[in-house]
Amino acid sequence: FRKLPSERTALVYDERMKEHYNMWDSQHPELPQRISCIYAQHESQQLTEHCLRIPVRSATEEELQMCHSLKYIQTIKSTVDMKARDLHRQSDEYISIYISPKTYDCALLATGSTFNVVEAILTGKAQNGVAIVRPPGHHAEKNMACG
């Protein structure tokens, strides 16, 4: 039998991921406050005290290419320096997606941090994990974002 880790749940969270926000629609359901509310609930239930805090990190482009095409990655990366009107135009290319100047950086943090949680589980440092991250990417496809 494998010995269970003393801290069973790996947890990653970073406020910087709230820098991905909708510049045009403050009522969009995917709000920056989503992750701070989730984390606050974990704190109020004293769950964070029992978790192994995992460091955040940015994913590499090679890691992104495990799921996404290089062309799509480069498209999102190109938004970092876009003006608001161009970000809006780019956002309209996708379904229920918005892109802000920090979206690419936040996506790198979310992905790299999630990889860190998975690594903690696979290496036996934790039994399970929670990644409180954004932007969400669970509907994304190889060549496009999808909300």
Side-chain angles (χ1 to χ4, degrees), residues 66-138:
M66 293 171 73
C67 290
H68 301 295
S69 69
L70 182 58
K71 182 180 179 188
Y72 172 61
I73 294 166
Q74 290 171 338
T75 297
I76 300 302
K77 186 177 183 179
S78 73
T79 64
V80 171
D81 296 317
M82 284 185 180
K83 294 182 178 2
R85 71 176 181 277
D86 297 323
L87 288 169
H88 195 277
R89 191 174 303 126
Q90 185 67 45
S91 297
D92 284 346
E93 296 288 318
Y94 307 110
I95 301 167
S96 189
I97 293 294
Y98 57 85
I99 301 170
S100 67
K102 291 287 190 176
T103 295
Y104 180 72
D105 293 332
C106 291
L108 290 178
L109 272 179
T111 305
S113 299
T114 301
F115 270 116
N116 278 1
V117 169
V118 171
E119 182 178 15
I121 297 165
L122 293 177
T123 59
K125 293 179 184 155
Q127 192 174 10
N128 53 55
V130 176
I132 304 172
V133 298
R134 66 187 304 277
H138 55 279

Side-chain angles (χ1 to χ4, degrees), residues 14-42:
D14 191 306
E15 288 275 321
R16 289 179 293 170
M17 289 182 236
K18 289 171 50 177
E19 294 174 359
H20 164 70
Y21 67 97
N22 192 320
M23 299 166 60
W24 308 278
D25 179 6
S26 63
Q27 301 304 310
H28 191 282
E30 215 304 291
L31 297 168
Q33 296 81 358
R34 176 181 62 81
I35 60 170
S36 53
C37 289
I38 292 169
Y39 185 76
Q41 273 299 321
H42 280 72

